[in-house]
Amino acid sequence: MRPPVAAFALALAVAAASCGKAGAPKPPAPRGPLPAGGVVARQIGADVEIAFTVPAPRGEAPSQAPVLAEILRVPFAPGLQPSPDPVLFRVRGEVIARVEGDPLDSGARRFVRDPVLSELEGGASGWTLRYAVRVRDRRGRPSALVAAADLRFEAVDSAPTDLAAEPTAEGIRLEWADATQEGRYNVYRAVGDGAYDEAPVHLQPVTGTRYLDAAVVPGTAYRYRVRRVLADGVPRRESAATAEVRVAAEDRFPPAAPTGLVAVQEGAAVRLFWNPGAERDLRGYRVFARTNGGEWRRVGPDPVLEPSLLDREVRVGERIAYRVTAVDRTTPPNESAPSEIVEVGIVDDPLHPGRMP
């Protein structure tokens, strides 16, 4: 039989080993999915579109892959003050739509229309709608809810019509019609066959029925559509969109001809300078010279990048005519009409003797 003192000492040793340096107990690590990102809701005509970004898996275990996104809604009838209660979705939240995938593509942007919006009295006009997104993994574990900003649904309005697009030297010019004649509009753009940008191409709504999209790349195809703004602020509330129009940004437009050309002899050379062009796609200039009425020849690099050039290939006694064109950045470049012609007679300079012909 173990002596009582020895047994007591052994118990103390076991207790010390089990809790001596363990520290404070830690809460269990979260095991459900990460929450959805970028949750927004906006009105598009008679619909509400909810957008969100699929989160990455919380861990590497197959069971942690997100496979389901649930869209929940809490509606507030006209005249009711929306409650700020954070647990409101637990009490009144209704799952109105589901997005499934095994797994869902992490990082993908998903768009869902509210399929039961028309069930609200009055077609939802005047209702305040609160949406949230919840993600579940393969084991059904839920993420935290992420709510969008409340959306007060506006009365459905007619859409703009007759959208047309035309490439110009400044960019793509858009024009449309609208029966209201007093609207403000948002212009949306897609590149090629890609998805439309969620945000308009401009910072503030367009007043009037024309817009120039100057931020286009020549040789690229674009698609456009336009919506009328129904109410200020965010989330966005807009009419339905115009029919889509497709157009290619083609630069068939040469720069303006250079102006203000001046030629001045500097010793045994001629200094040329002219006014710089204002086109945003200007690449440079081409300089041409003609000696004693002969054929035009190119002078200097192609293109000349600055609006000046020093021509050293001259001889005393020659009479030289000059002209300049401008070229843009397309391939092959569009070339302007020539500038006005200037002439200079090369005379001998005592300080810098020239070469006689």
Side-chain angles (χ1 to χ4, degrees):
M1 181 176 181
R2 185 185 299 273
V5 175
F8 180 71
L10 179 60
L12 287 178
V14 172
S18 62
C19 62
K21 297 184 179 180
K26 297 181 179 180
R31 301 179 64 83
L34 295 171
V39 178
V40 295
R42 63 177 180 174
Q43 178 181 352
I44 302 176
D47 294 314
V48 172
E49 180 183 79
I50 304 95
F52 65 95
T53 301
V54 177
R58 183 179 290 277
E60 298 181 357
S63 63
Q64 293 177 298
V67 297
L68 173 66
E70 298 171 320
I71 291 82
L72 294 85
R73 186 188 71 188
V74 176
F76 301 89
L80 293 180
Q81 181 66 30
S83 170
D85 190 345
V87 301
L88 194 61
F89 276 102
R90 298 180 186 175
V91 179
R92 294 183 50 202
E94 174 190 5
V95 176
I96 61 166
R98 293 175 173 83
V99 178
E100 299 181 69
D102 194 6
L104 295 172
D105 295 333
S106 297
R109 195 75 174 149
R110 304 301 294 266
F111 301 88
V112 181
R113 297 290 178 102
D114 184 341
V116 293
L117 187 65
S118 61
E119 297 178 1
L120 298 176
E121 183 179 352
S125 179
W127 287 69
T128 297
L129 306 172
R130 185 175 299 169
Y131 293 91
V133 177
R134 179 173 60 208
V135 178
R136 294 184 183 274
D137 62 17
R138 284 197 178 107
R139 293 183 60 181
R141 293 173 294 200
S143 72
L145 279 168
V146 180
D150 287 357
L151 185 152
R152 186 183 183 279
F153 197 86
E154 299 293 325
V156 177
D157 204 349
S158 61
T161 60
D162 302 326
L163 177 62
E166 177 186 12
T168 70
E170 295 79 24
I172 293 178
R173 192 172 300 279
L174 302 164
E175 188 170 355
W176 57 92
D178 188 4
T180 69
Q181 298 297 318
E182 298 179 352
R184 294 177 303 127
Y185 307 89
N186 285 331
V187 178
Y188 293 88
R189 178 181 65 197
V191 179
D193 294 324
Y196 276 92
D197 295 331
E198 284 189 64
V201 298
H202 42 75
L203 295 178
Q204 298 296 329
V206 175
T207 301
T209 57
R210 295 180 179 179
Y211 180 74
L212 174 66
D213 185 6
V216 295
V217 178
T220 303
Y222 296 93
R223 301 180 349 260
Y224 292 92
R225 56 192 180 194
V226 177
R227 300 189 183 107
R228 186 189 309 110
V229 176
L230 301 181
D232 292 326
V234 293
R236 292 192 183 95
R237 289 159 290 174
E238 302 168 325
S239 72
T242 60
E244 179 182 87
V245 65
R246 181 184 291 263
V247 61
E250 299 177 359
D251 190 350
R252 308 185 302 268
F253 309 94
T259 61
L261 177 61
V262 175
V264 179
Q265 183 177 349
E266 289 187 4
V270 174
R271 174 75 65 181
L272 301 162
F273 52 93
W274 55 93
N275 297 326
E279 290 83 2
R280 63 187 180 90
D281 65 340
L282 185 69
R283 178 71 177 88
Y285 309 90
R286 289 172 176 169
V287 179
F288 300 87
R290 181 175 63 188
T291 304
N292 299 329
E295 297 294 326
W296 288 103
R297 69 183 189 279
R298 190 172 298 166
V299 179
D302 182 16
V304 176
L305 299 181
E306 299 296 331
S308 65
L309 179 71
L310 183 65
D311 182 12
R312 299 181 182 274
E313 299 300 319
V314 301
R315 293 175 180 271
V316 172
E318 293 177 337
R319 187 160 190 83
I320 306 176
Y322 292 96
R323 68 185 186 187
V324 180
T325 62
V327 293
D328 63 17
R329 297 180 182 275
T330 60
T331 303
N334 296 305
E335 185 173 9
S336 75
S339 68
E340 68 274 22
I341 298 172
V342 298
E343 293 187 356
V344 59
I346 309 302
V347 299
D348 202 358
D349 184 344
L351 298 179
H352 302 88
R355 294 169 292 169
M356 295 300 293

